[in-house]
Amino acid sequence: MKLAENKATLSFSNGSPSVDLPVYQGTVGPDVIDIRKLYGQTGMFTYDPGFLSTASCQSSITYIDGDKGELLYRGYPIEQLATQCDYLDTCYLLLNGELPKQQERQDFHKLVINHTMVNEQMQFFLRGFRRDAHPMAVLTGLVGALSAFYHDSTDINNPEHRKIAAIRLIAKMPTLVAMAYKYGVGQPYMYPQNDLSYAGNFLRMMFGTPCEEYKVNPVLERALDRIFILHADHEQNASTSTVRLCGSSGTNPFAAIAAGVACLWGPAHGGANEACLNMLEDIQRQGGIAKVGQFMEQVKDKNSGVKLMGFGHRVYKNYDPRATLMQETCNEVLSELGLENDPLFKLAKEVEKIALEDDYFVQRKLYPNVDFYSGIVQRAIGIPVNLFTGVFTLARTVGWIAQLNEMISDPEYKIGRPRQLFAGSATRNVTPVGDR
Ligand code: CMC
């Protein structure tokens, strides 16, 4: 860490001695005040629920400038990666810090492809779930269960184990997501076919059947690959922080990633694409475009508890750069499938237009996020709404594992243990039940 020239001084109005705190500079982005010794020096903690002003770690993987609407993976703008690289190149970059050279690329693709199959026993584990279980419930279980199948890559302190676990997770996740889907619809599982691309293979495992040959549509394959790239990592968001915190206890990588899957499920995070599509379908049922105005009034009414899903972001207070790229893909996919006049897509356009012009959203800098469009794309491809977050999970796995491995390799890493401002009862005595 590079020390900044200035330091911070914390003074107190009650005359307690002030304390100097070191300030560190990142490559870009805000400086940070180092408060690690604050408790030792003052007997006080800091208070920051929701981590609004707290850097929880040092990282070199992903950088977001929310005001500029910029997203960088290892320094490369997301726009360049989304148009010039594929998802597995992006995985290599996130894991290793550099884009692969020709031979490295071939070797990495081969390595991932060699691990796409899951232990046959997995399907019997899957059978324990109800057919109508939510795919995220199923995935949380399946990913956690991987640690029971792959004992030889569970030692988080062994760099070789961490490497193999990373490849296994990236390679097997599409197989697991597709198995969760096939189980729900009662169709036979499709084994991976390793001469297809990562995205093409996923499409075939999802929509192919053993009865006929499945032809991968290159437009849909590219769209899915882009969804994967755009969702691959996103700095210290809720699920990534969950993976780091969970992994900080020294638990195995599969268990830590399963914790991330559970966190991502929530509608304020990865569940937003599903919630967004459900919201659009609700408006459609209530009368479609004619009812958008009325729905917006509900969104603006704080007492209604209704949010415009797919809008707003904790970090992007300008535009989500992923949304621009996803919008482009959305147009491509809808045109390829002849769905330009699809009523739900038209409704989404109307919602977006009204929100972008409305003072409520303008003043709060609320813009469409990636999930506003990714749900529409996935629906057009034929992915059921309740599997949208599963697709996000598949894509984000590499980010989680890269962040987890970065943390474990950091000599400064410690088990995560936040403090609290206690507001409950101080010590008191139990009185006999008859006297209460
Ligand atoms: N609809 C209506 N009002 C909103 C929305 C929304 N989608 N998002 C924020 N606001 C309002 C919020 O009520 C608050 O108003 P006020 O200042 O009057 O109290 C103001 O905007 C600031 O919002 P905030 O809740 O302080 O913002 P946050 O940074 O805590 O929350 C968020 C960010 C993503 C949780 C929130 O915008 C939200 O719930 N959006 C909808 C869910 C969604 O689309 N999530 C996907 C995020 S992108 C995928 C990912 O990276 O995980």
Side-chain angles (χ1 to χ4, degrees):
M1 275 194 292
K2 187 174 163 219
L3 266 177
E5 275 173 16
N6 62 333
K7 56 182 188 277
T9 303
L10 185 63
S11 57
F12 303 91
S13 56
N14 66 359
S16 301
S18 58
V19 283
D20 286 339
L21 300 164
V23 174
Y24 296 108
Q25 270 178 339
T27 330
V28 277
D31 293 350
V32 299
I33 303 172
D34 181 352
I35 55 165
R36 281 176 291 181
K37 297 200 173 127
L38 187 72
Y39 179 57
Q41 289 173 323
T42 66
M44 280 187 222
F45 301 139
T46 54
Y47 181 60
D48 187 17
F51 297 104
L52 295 175
S53 298
T54 298
S56 61
C57 62
Q58 188 186 166
S59 181
S60 315
I61 302 176
T62 295
Y63 175 74
I64 303 172
D65 185 324
D67 294 322
K68 275 207 245 164
E70 180 179 68
L71 169 61
L72 310 175
Y73 291 164
R74 301 281 192 185
Y76 294 109
I78 191 68
E79 294 79 1
Q80 291 181 25
L81 293 169
T83 50
Q84 296 174 45
C85 299
D86 70 12
Y87 177 67
L88 286 184
D89 296 340
T90 309
C91 290
Y92 186 96
L93 172 71
L94 290 168
L95 292 171
N96 300 302
E98 295 298 337
L99 281 167
K101 298 193 180 90
Q102 191 64 30
Q103 189 59 47
E104 290 167 336
R105 184 172 194 271
Q106 277 174 18
D107 293 347
F108 185 73
H109 279 236
K110 203 166 154 216
L111 185 64
V112 172
I113 275 164
N114 276 338
H115 284 88
T116 47
M117 225 158 57
V118 296
N119 188 301
E120 196 69 357
Q121 200 64 17
M122 259 330 225
Q123 57 177 283
F124 302 108
F125 177 69
L126 189 55
R127 239 184 241 174
F129 288 97
R130 285 170 56 133
R131 294 262 175 195
D132 63 355
H134 193 286
M136 286 305 284
V138 174
L139 280 174
T140 312
L142 290 184
V143 175
L146 288 177
S147 49
F149 288 97
Y150 301 103
H151 294 284
D152 57 343
S153 52
T154 51
D155 179 1
I156 210 159
N157 295 311
N158 180 329
E160 206 44 43
H161 280 212
R162 294 204 295 268
K163 215 164 125 191
I164 301 170
I167 299 298
R168 282 187 166 143
L169 277 156
I170 295 165
K172 294 183 197 312
M173 203 53 101
T175 315
L176 295 181
V177 174
M179 280 173 83
Y181 169 65
K182 288 292 197 192
Y183 181 72
V185 292
Q187 286 183 7
Y189 306 123
M190 294 294 284
Y191 287 107
Q193 188 176 307
N194 292 344
D195 59 352
L196 294 175
S197 72
Y198 189 85
N201 187 30
F202 179 62
L203 279 169
R204 183 180 164 277
M205 287 191 290
M206 283 286 296
F207 303 117
T209 67
C211 315
E212 55 192 48
E213 204 189 322
Y214 180 81
K215 276 228 165 339
V216 176
N217 177 326
V219 175
L220 307 191
E221 184 182 22
R222 207 167 43 242
L224 207 52
D225 194 72
R226 181 171 283 190
I227 291 183
F228 296 162
I229 295 175
L230 299 185
H231 288 86
D233 194 42
H234 215 225
E235 236 215 38
Q236 308 310 319
N237 55 81
S239 58
T240 302
S241 301
T242 300
V243 169
R244 278 185 177 258
L245 193 57
C246 181
S248 77
S249 73
T251 190
N252 70 76
F254 303 107
I257 300 302
V261 179
C263 177
L264 189 74
W265 189 0
H269 193 8
N273 48 20
E274 175 176 349
C276 177
L277 232 283
N278 287 337
M279 172 193 83
L280 291 172
E281 279 174 349
D282 264 0
I283 306 174
Q284 188 67 14
R285 268 191 297 274
Q286 286 163 27
I289 290 187
K291 293 287 172 185
V292 173
Q294 194 179 323
F295 176 74
M296 287 300 186
E297 287 316 306
Q298 270 184 304
V299 167
K300 291 189 281 180
D301 173 8
K302 287 272 156 163
N303 298 321
S304 72
V306 178
K307 275 200 168 171
L308 183 55
M309 301 314 286
F311 264 69
H313 201 273
R314 168 60 60 80
V315 185
Y316 296 119
K317 297 301 177 194
N318 192 324
Y319 205 82
D320 179 344
R322 303 169 302 171
T324 316
L325 290 156
M326 207 65 249
Q327 191 183 34
E328 203 180 280
T329 297
C330 190
N331 291 332
E332 250 174 61
V333 166
L334 293 172
S335 133
E336 167 71 11
L337 300 175
L339 291 172
E340 300 96 326
N341 291 322
D342 177 64
L344 213 68
F345 178 58
K346 286 190 152 172
L347 177 68
K349 281 282 184 212
E350 185 65 14
V351 168
E352 182 193 17
K353 182 168 165 277
I354 294 185
L356 289 175
E357 288 166 358
D358 192 303
D359 256 7
Y360 174 95
F361 294 92
V362 174
Q363 275 168 16
R364 289 170 178 77
K365 300 190 173 179
L366 299 170
Y367 296 93
N369 57 51
V370 62
D371 288 331
F372 189 74
Y373 301 106
S374 75
I376 299 171
V377 175
Q378 292 190 59
R379 177 178 176 269
I381 291 178
I383 297 171
V385 175
N386 69 357
L387 202 72
F388 289 0
T389 316
V391 172
F392 190 164
T393 305
L394 180 175
R396 181 55 59 85
T397 297
V398 67
W400 289 330
I401 196 87
Q403 300 264 355
L404 179 67
N405 288 350
E406 179 182 64
M407 178 188 74
I408 303 292
S409 338
D410 183 346
E412 286 197 349
Y413 118 81
K414 288 187 184 323
I415 183 168
R417 181 33 173 113
R419 301 297 195 143
Q420 65 173 7
L421 174 64
F422 183 66
S425 298
T427 313
R428 53 183 174 158
N429 295 319
V430 174
T431 46
V433 68
D435 300 343
R436 282 178 223 158

